[in-house]
Amino acid sequence: MSLFTNLLNLHSGNKPREDFFTEIVAYFFSLNKDILIDWLKHHSIISDDNYSSVKISTQQEHQALASHTEDSRLDIVVELSTGLNTDVIFIESKIGAKDGNNALKKYADILSNLSNIRHRILIYITRDYDPKEESKQYDCDPKPAIKEYCLELSPKINFFQLRWYQFYSFLKEHASDILAQEILIFMRNNRMSHTNQFSSVDLLTMVNYNKTLLLMESTLSEEVQQEFKLAFGGVIKGAASRTQWKWDERYIIYTHFSPSTWDLWCGLGYFGLNPSNLTDYPYLGIFLQVSPKFGQRPKIIESMQKIINDKPNLWTPSNLKVLPAWSGIFYRKSLKDFLSEENHVSAIKLFFQESIKELKTVQEQYFDFPWKGVSIETVTETDKEEDLDTSPSSIAEV
């Protein structure tokens, strides 16, 4: 696991993933200004490197202009000076969310209002595909009839749209120190290393996606869901969804044991569906997890530790001695353990039923806590991204 992922997990509540990664990249550039210049030249953002000074700042605050409704905070600002001329670059970084509140237009306005600047550059770099057709409005290239008016109204803004996978590929080729390697690991863990080409594995996945999904659905059928609900008092409807697969790299049914929060929850199904190493297998089983802010966390952790001490061959710990962090215990097996079975679906269903019984057993023996599962509709896909940092952490990190 990445050092940066471990550090990010120390944040309780919302995990400031985008700001965190922004600080990492900005710090790396501050130590490796030559790599920054090479990266900008690689994408034809700048044409020369005759700069005597390179200044990098993050989270720079700008007061709202007359046409703006609120102040702006810029992710990264790069100031390049030749001694005679200064070029300014604003970098807006997104990992999961998209451009909100027309932020790019506001940043272009701010760039236009800066004085004594030669080149004004706005970079929008994202993990996910988020094309900006309106980008031409930032790149003022008017028809001859209105050219003079446009230049008087607003200086030219050069707009560039990039993807984080491009930076990943560039960094792999241009840096090999420990800091660069940790950044690459973090990017892989956060799905920022995806390329723009279909691999043979991608094609196999595409062809077999529906078959795989049907097999997984059949192992978490109504029969298994009913046993889960009887054991723990509830199940989130629609929990074993493609949204879970997309955002949290798991395909599960689950419930939580608090009426309004995710302080204590359990999930049953498939975990680690996007391993960084293609030779790794996903895990199957049941997971019990407690949040870092739960008032009864110390008592829950104490019980979890007793289970690990008494049943070390059955249960696996996760962050039990780390605070603040999501912590839990996992009753699991590798999918590889089921491949020799004649009927994979039947074998996996039996293991899921066994997992439910095992968690129910330790619940009754080790926990003095009123467990009552909740049955509600799961979050929608549009809400999922905002919930990522407040819902339980990814089990792939166990």
Side-chain angles (χ1 to χ4, degrees), residues 36-95:
L36 168 62
I37 297 298
D38 288 344
W39 177 61
L40 295 172
K41 290 175 63 179
H42 177 76
H43 290 289
S44 300
I45 296 172
I46 60 175
S47 58
D48 61 63
D49 55 3
N50 297 318
Y51 295 108
S52 57
S53 172
V54 178
K55 181 181 177 182
I56 303 169
S57 59
T58 61
Q59 314 304 329
Q60 194 176 107
E61 299 281 350
H62 281 263
Q63 288 188 342
L65 300 178
S67 59
H68 299 173
T69 58
E70 59 185 357
D71 295 344
S72 295
R73 187 183 67 174
L74 303 169
D75 288 339
I76 300 177
V77 176
V78 179
E79 299 177 45
L80 306 172
S81 174
T82 64
L84 296 176
N85 299 300
T86 299
D87 301 335
V88 175
I89 302 172
F90 288 179
I91 301 177
E92 171 70 355
S93 166
K94 294 294 184 184
I95 295 180

Side-chain angles (χ1 to χ4, degrees), residues 227-228 230-232 257 266 286 288 303-304 306-307 310-311 314-315 329 331 352-369 371:
E227 290 196 32
F228 186 90
L230 288 173
F232 307 117
F257 304 107
C266 73
I286 200 164
L288 178 66
S303 297
M304 288 180 172
K306 288 180 181 178
I307 294 170
D310 294 345
K311 300 185 175 186
L314 296 180
W315 289 89
I329 53 175
Y331 183 82
F352 283 155
Q353 292 168 333
E354 173 190 321
S355 301
I356 294 170
K357 292 176 182 177
E358 175 62 22
L359 180 56
K360 185 64 176 177
T361 297
V362 298
Q363 172 196 352
E364 295 171 348
Q365 293 181 353
Y366 290 87
F367 293 93
D368 180 17
F369 183 81
W371 287 20

Side-chain angles (χ1 to χ4, degrees), residues 26-37 56 175 177 179:
Y27 179 72
F28 176 80
F29 280 150
S30 70
L31 297 180
N32 300 274
K33 294 184 175 66
D34 55 331
I35 293 180
L36 168 62
I37 297 298
I56 303 169
D177 60 25
L179 180 56

Side-chain angles (χ1 to χ4, degrees), residues 148-191:
E148 183 176 352
Y149 169 77
C150 184
L151 290 177
E152 289 178 355
L153 180 66
S154 177
K156 176 176 176 145
I157 305 297
N158 293 312
F159 179 78
F160 297 86
Q161 183 159 9
L162 305 175
R163 298 279 297 281
W164 276 118
Y165 78 79
Q166 296 171 297
F167 177 75
Y168 178 88
S169 299
F170 177 87
L171 189 59
K172 280 183 67 176
E173 298 296 326
H174 290 77
S176 59
D177 60 25
I178 294 177
L179 180 56
Q181 294 305 310
E182 288 293 338
I183 292 175
L184 292 172
I185 295 172
F186 183 87
M187 294 183 74
R188 288 196 295 271
N189 289 345
N190 287 275
R191 306 191 304 278

Side-chain angles (χ1 to χ4, degrees), residues 10 16 21 61 65 73 80 125 151 183 188 198 210 219 234 240 282 290-291 346-347 391:
L10 294 178
F21 185 67
E61 299 281 350
L65 300 178
R73 187 183 67 174
L80 306 172
I125 181 167
L151 290 177
I183 292 175
R188 288 196 295 271
F198 289 110
N210 282 336
T219 61
V290 61
S291 80
S346 295
S391 63

Side-chain angles (χ1 to χ4, degrees), residues 260-305:
S260 60
T261 70
W262 282 98
D263 286 332
L264 185 66
W265 77 286
C266 73
L268 172 76
Y270 300 80
F271 303 90
L273 295 178
N274 186 30
S276 56
N277 189 337
L278 291 178
T279 60
D280 292 340
Y281 287 83
Y283 282 95
L284 289 68
I286 200 164
F287 191 76
L288 178 66
Q289 194 174 47
V290 61
S291 80
K293 62 181 181 179
F294 190 31
Q296 299 192 51
R297 174 188 167 92
K299 191 175 182 180
I300 298 293
I301 292 294
E302 182 180 355
S303 297
M304 288 180 172
Q305 190 60 60

Side-chain angles (χ1 to χ4, degrees), residues 373-385:
V374 179
S375 295
I376 59 173
E377 294 292 338
T378 189
V379 294
T380 64
E381 259 193 70
T382 54
D383 293 334
K384 185 60 184 174
E385 182 62 34

Side-chain angles (χ1 to χ4, degrees), residues 193-209 274 278:
S193 61
H194 297 173
T195 68
N196 60 348
Q197 294 180 323
F198 289 110
S199 67
S200 58
V201 174
D202 295 328
L203 295 176
L204 285 172
T205 302
M206 190 183 304
V207 172
N208 291 283
Y209 176 80
N274 186 30
L278 291 178

